[in-house]
Amino acid sequence: MQSPPPNGENSSSSSSNPCNCHSCCLSPNLLGFPNSQLDHQNSANITNSSTFHYDFATATTSSLYPNTQFTNPDCLPSLQESIKRFTRAFPLFLDTVEADRVRKTEYPHLTLSSHVCLDYSGHALFSFSQKNAEFAASSSSTPPLSPTHFEDVSESEFEFKLRRRIMRYLNVLEDDYSLFFAANQVSAFGVLGESYPFKSNKRVLTVYDHENEAVEAMIERSRNRGARVLSAEFKWPKLKINCAKLQEMLMEGHKKKKNKRREKGLFVFPIQSRVTGARYSYQWMNLAQENDWHVCLDATGLGPKDMDTLGLTLIRPDFIICTFYSVFGDDPSGFACLFVKKSTLSIFTQPNISSAPGITSLKYFLRTSGYEPRNFRAAKSDDPNEEIECRGLDHADSLGLVRIGTRTRCLINWLTNAMGTLSHPNSEKGVQLVTIYGPRVGFDRGPALAFNVFDWKGEKIDPWLVQKLADRNNISLGCGFIKHIGFSERYREEEGRVWALEKGSEEKERKGKGKKGERNERRIGVVIASIGFLTNFEDVYRLWEFVSKFLDADFVEKERWRYMALNQKTIQKILEIFIRYVSTI
């Protein structure tokens, strides 16, 4: 197990210092629990908060066998036994059973296929049952509903109605923001990279503890247009924001002479990491706005209904980017949304954003996903606010912020705790099977987990190999890189070990791409598990059960031979079919 992080740094006592805001994290009341933390200066509230968080951590530990290390995959408690202990430790989880009902009736493919989906982020538009009902209706000669009550929806009407539905779902006011559709997240960020006025506002400051393809593309474009790129630093081992450094970058130039114009820029802020699950204070956006930055809120990592929180309704960023996909666990095709505050539209170098490269209509989404607007029948009504039915969004709305927050929080903390109970047998140094990057068990952590698996010798197993083996066990996981990591003097020795483990895999990657020496920034490859409101306890248990198989020193080799045998059987069947076909000619 890794050593605990150092105590918090001393920071400025300025009233605008975000470090005073609950350790740069969201407060419990904003996350769906009743414990009020609005007055952070009140000592009684701070004491209650500490007690509350301690009790939550204690409950999480008791949800599995406390002080127990599992060294054999065959010794894990059963699913039935584990779920009993889980619900006893988290009784509020039982208030979220409506999500299980929705999963059973609207997403039956998850049960039928026994597929564990832990690689989705963004918002689901439709349910599996809705999609199949629409397709069935389109292939049937008999309309499912009377045409006297329903009417076909054209492409333009579909886009208009879906636009209205999305804005209501995200709690974004049409009077304040304009919404533009983009083919994907890369395209949405690309519009900012190409259209933001970097000639006069030369800085770009991003806050990401991981490598984000879309943000990297935006950075490259902005750098080519003369921007000065800055990045926040994250302190090892829990990857908390280095508050002092970020504050210094945000307030750079604040004390310039009044007659000298302060340099503005673009502050790109994600609220929470969709890789490590780390959550950050809304007050960073406040501080940026106070220092004349334009703020882009990256909402792609936010969970359903997180936009309903108090902080996001009070802090109005200049830009918001989020993503939507079709059906959870079935169809990941989708699009991105770029919201631009109407009062900010005039700053773009491109006069008409609608024609900017990357901005598109929903025709592309409809065609590639197989949907036809005529399949979505809207009730005839004189109401101009009539919307397209999106059951995926409807289910999130009906569950609400509190129940979704409770569900995902209980599941991700149980999984985080369970991963820490796996330890290699007969290891002199007590080698843990799993290393977690970012926050550990905690009330404030987000619903994503970044981890790596290590063998009994302490050597890292390639994250992409873990992902492939999980896929063969019907579990979908993500992979990525964490970066912008800072090590204090206390962790200098550990820093050497961390980068030594990464050196081999990084060199292999460069060699494979033929671009040796291209990457200068250090990063750590990780496996990523993302929890959503349709995730159930069995899903996280099955991931824990799968990871525990690596306690068997021969597991990887066995899987390799099994895969080769399966491939051989497949090739043999193909040859038999081919021979039979040739013999008939």
Side-chain angles (χ1 to χ4, degrees):
M1 298 291 285
Q2 293 173 331
S3 304
N7 295 327
E9 297 178 341
N10 291 329
S11 57
S12 170
S13 59
S14 169
S15 60
S16 61
N17 185 356
C19 294
N20 293 331
C21 186
H22 198 59
S23 300
C24 304
C25 293
L26 301 179
S27 59
N29 69 297
L30 297 181
L31 296 171
F33 272 60
N35 190 44
S36 176
Q37 297 295 317
L38 291 178
D39 182 10
H40 295 293
Q41 305 305 317
N42 186 293
S43 60
N45 282 348
I46 294 175
T47 301
N48 291 337
S49 173
S50 299
T51 303
F52 180 85
H53 284 254
Y54 175 80
D55 291 344
F56 181 84
T58 302
T60 303
T61 303
S62 68
S63 65
L64 206 55
Y65 292 91
N67 305 316
T68 300
Q69 290 289 302
F70 298 99
T71 58
N72 188 323
D74 297 326
C75 294
L76 300 186
S78 67
L79 172 62
Q80 293 73 21
E81 182 183 355
S82 297
I83 198 167
K84 284 181 181 178
R85 295 185 67 92
F86 173 76
T87 52
R88 216 168 26 236
F90 299 111
L92 284 177
F93 186 82
L94 298 175
D95 294 339
T96 73
V97 292
E98 176 64 17
D100 295 306
R101 187 198 65 78
V102 167
R103 173 177 168 135
K104 182 178 180 181
T105 58
E106 294 287 334
Y107 302 85
H109 63 295
L110 297 175
T111 302
L112 293 173
S113 65
S114 295
H115 191 191
V116 176
C117 298
L118 300 175
D119 59 341
Y120 276 73
S121 63
H123 307 277
L125 291 167
F126 313 112
S127 71
F128 182 84
S129 294
Q130 179 188 10
K131 176 184 175 182
N132 282 273
E134 301 296 351
F135 285 157
S138 65
S139 61
S140 173
S141 58
T142 304
L145 295 169
S146 170
T148 60
H149 293 90
F150 288 80
E151 60 184 357
D152 287 343
V153 181
S154 65
E155 283 185 345
S156 59
E157 188 180 3
F158 177 87
E159 183 168 324
F160 172 79
K161 291 179 180 293
L162 186 58
R163 182 190 304 269
R164 187 180 293 274
R165 179 67 183 94
I166 285 174
M167 295 191 83
R168 182 168 67 84
Y169 171 76
L170 293 174
N171 199 24
V172 176
L173 298 179
E174 292 183 67
D175 291 340
D176 296 334
Y177 287 88
S178 296
L179 168 57
F180 302 93
F181 293 111
N184 49 45
Q185 188 183 354
V186 175
S187 297
F189 274 104
V191 173
L192 290 181
E194 292 291 348
S195 304
Y196 185 80
F198 291 112
K199 187 174 181 179
S200 55
N201 305 301
K202 294 185 178 298
R203 295 177 294 170
V204 179
L205 173 54
T206 62
V207 186
Y208 289 86
D209 62 4
H210 59 278
E211 189 168 280
N212 184 308
E213 179 187 2
V215 175
E216 295 294 326
M218 181 203 70
I219 287 174
E220 189 63 29
R221 292 181 187 181
S222 61
R223 186 181 280 121
N224 291 339
R225 296 181 60 226
R228 182 161 65 98
V229 178
L230 306 169
S231 300
E233 182 182 271
F234 299 85
K235 297 184 292 185
W236 183 268
K238 294 191 177 181
L239 302 186
K240 292 183 178 181
I241 290 176
N242 187 322
C243 295
K245 286 190 177 182
L246 181 55
Q247 180 176 335
E248 181 181 354
M249 287 187 285
L250 283 172
M251 300 183 69
E252 182 183 349
H254 182 73
K255 296 181 179 180
K256 286 185 177 181
K257 294 181 180 180
K258 292 183 179 181
N259 61 352
K260 189 174 181 180
R261 180 187 168 281
R262 281 195 291 174
E263 185 184 73
K264 296 183 181 180
L266 180 63
F267 179 58
V268 185
F269 186 69
I271 286 288
Q272 73 179 30
S273 169
R274 64 186 181 93
V275 170
T276 65
R279 277 188 163 127
Y280 316 122
S281 171
Y282 298 112
Q283 296 304 318
W284 288 114
M285 289 191 289
N286 251 345
L287 183 62
Q289 290 173 337
E290 290 172 4
N291 287 273
D292 299 325
W293 291 79
H294 289 113
V295 174
C296 173
L297 169 61
D298 180 358
T300 58
L302 291 179
K305 308 315 296 172
D306 279 353
M307 292 285 283
D308 286 352
T309 58
L310 177 64
L312 290 178
T313 56
L314 293 179
I315 301 173
R316 314 290 277 266
D318 298 279
F319 315 102
I320 303 173
I321 293 177
C322 60
T323 54
F324 289 83
Y325 59 88
S326 296
V327 180
F328 178 75
D330 177 70
D331 185 359
S333 64
F335 53 87
C337 294
L338 169 63
F339 295 88
V340 182
K341 193 157 61 173
K342 291 182 177 179
S343 60
T344 309
L345 271 170
S346 60
I347 73 166
F348 280 128
T349 57
Q350 200 155 332
N352 186 7
I353 288 297
S354 298
S355 61
I359 296 299
T360 183
S361 71
L362 289 185
K363 292 179 182 179
Y364 176 80
F365 163 68
L366 291 169
R367 297 293 179 259
T368 56
S369 63
Y371 292 100
E372 289 290 343
R374 60 187 177 83
N375 296 338
F376 292 87
R377 297 175 179 271
K380 280 187 175 181
S381 171
D382 295 329
D383 183 5
N385 297 323
E386 191 67 46
E387 298 168 344
I388 291 292
E389 181 186 30
C390 299
R391 288 191 201 168
L393 305 185
D394 294 341
H395 296 148
D397 281 338
S398 64
L399 286 167
L401 175 67
V402 173
R403 281 191 288 183
I404 291 175
T406 298
R407 186 177 183 86
T408 57
R409 183 175 300 105
C410 294
L411 291 174
I412 193 65
N413 277 285
W414 184 90
L415 179 61
T416 303
N417 178 62
M419 289 293 198
T421 65
L422 303 175
S423 182
H424 283 288
N426 305 319
S427 173
E428 295 180 1
K429 297 182 179 179
V431 176
Q432 292 291 124
L433 178 67
V434 176
T435 292
I436 292 171
Y437 304 89
R440 309 312 194 254
V441 169
F443 181 88
D444 289 331
R445 81 165 347 273
L449 184 69
F451 67 94
N452 271 317
V453 180
F454 291 78
D455 63 21
W456 64 275
K457 294 179 289 186
E459 295 181 359
K460 176 181 166 183
I461 299 174
D462 184 6
W464 281 264
L465 175 60
V466 175
Q467 182 189 43
K468 288 178 182 178
L469 294 178
D471 191 57
R472 291 181 201 167
N473 285 265
N474 224 13
I475 300 173
S476 297
L477 298 169
C479 280
F481 293 96
I482 58 174
K483 57 193 300 188
H484 302 139
I485 304 170
F487 290 82
S488 66
E489 287 299 325
R490 179 178 179 178
Y491 293 100
R492 288 302 177 202
E493 184 177 341
E494 189 170 346
E495 178 183 12
R497 293 196 299 268
V498 169
W499 297 129
L501 288 170
E502 294 303 312
K503 186 177 180 181
S505 58
E506 189 76 6
E507 287 179 349
K508 288 178 183 177
E509 181 193 2
R510 290 171 180 165
K511 185 177 180 180
K513 293 184 178 180
K515 298 179 180 180
K516 186 176 180 180
E518 182 179 276
R519 295 183 183 274
N520 294 319
E521 188 169 15
R522 288 175 165 180
R523 56 188 189 163
I524 300 174
V526 294
V527 184
I528 307 163
S530 300
I531 305 294
F533 74 88
L534 290 173
T535 306
N536 62 16
F537 180 79
E538 183 177 352
D539 290 339
V540 295
Y541 177 87
R542 282 181 57 189
L543 173 58
W544 182 51
E545 184 180 44
F546 161 72
V547 172
S548 73
K549 294 179 180 180
F550 288 89
L551 290 171
D552 179 354
D554 298 323
F555 172 66
V556 174
E557 194 63 25
K558 289 176 183 176
E559 285 293 301
R560 184 178 289 113
W561 282 105
R562 188 172 73 88
Y563 187 62
M564 290 173 62
L566 289 173
N567 281 347
Q568 189 62 38
K569 288 182 180 179
T570 302
I571 293 171
Q572 187 175 351
K573 287 182 180 179
I574 293 174
L575 285 173
E576 290 174 357
I577 294 172
F578 178 74
I579 291 171
R580 284 199 299 268
Y581 172 74
V582 171
S583 64
T584 60
I585 298 176

